[in-house]
Amino acid sequence: MMETFKAIGDPVRREILELLKGGMMSAGDIASHFDMTQATVSYHLSQLKKAGLIYENREKNFIYYQLNTSVFEEIMLWCRGFMGGKDDEEDK
């Protein structure tokens, strides 16, 4: 989970995640939204992938990136444990 929080701690990576909410995108499409080198965008994508927040699909000569929503669900469940409340009391 620490890798996940480290990955989303960066504003560029959060913006990439926001872009991917709209659906699968190629690295070039993602890079076109930023004023940085393709190598820098690739680094951010690799960090997001390492944290399990995104995954890639290879189609012919292209790599497309997509959100891994199951990781976001895990984070939400983990955070819910800190919310307290009636439901938590029933679980005990």
Side-chain angles (χ1 to χ4, degrees):
M1 180 111 25
M2 185 59 93
E3 255 334 291
T4 303
F5 287 117
K6 182 179 173 186
I8 61 176
D10 184 280
V12 171
R13 293 184 201 133
R14 288 193 305 268
E15 192 169 340
I16 291 171
L17 293 172
E18 286 289 330
L19 289 170
L20 291 174
K21 278 177 25 180
M24 188 168 40
M25 295 178 74
S26 70
D29 290 339
I30 294 167
S32 70
H33 288 85
F34 298 95
D35 186 22
M36 58 183 69
T37 66
Q38 178 71 37
T40 302
V41 172
S42 292
Y43 170 76
H44 287 295
L45 289 169
S46 71
Q47 294 303 302
L48 290 168
K49 198 169 103 174
K50 182 178 172 184
L53 292 165
I54 63 172
Y55 58 92
E56 63 182 35
N57 292 313
R58 294 178 182 267
E59 294 181 20
K60 298 184 182 179
N61 295 332
F62 296 97
I63 300 174
Y64 294 94
Y65 294 90
Q66 197 168 352
L67 289 179
N68 183 357
T69 55
S70 63
V71 173
F72 289 99
E73 290 169 1
E74 287 177 32
I75 293 169
M76 290 177 66
L77 287 173
W78 182 80
C79 290
R80 184 174 175 258
F82 292 97
M83 303 294 283
K86 188 175 182 180
D87 290 338
D88 291 338
E89 290 299 318
E90 293 173 3
D91 291 342
K92 290 184 181 177

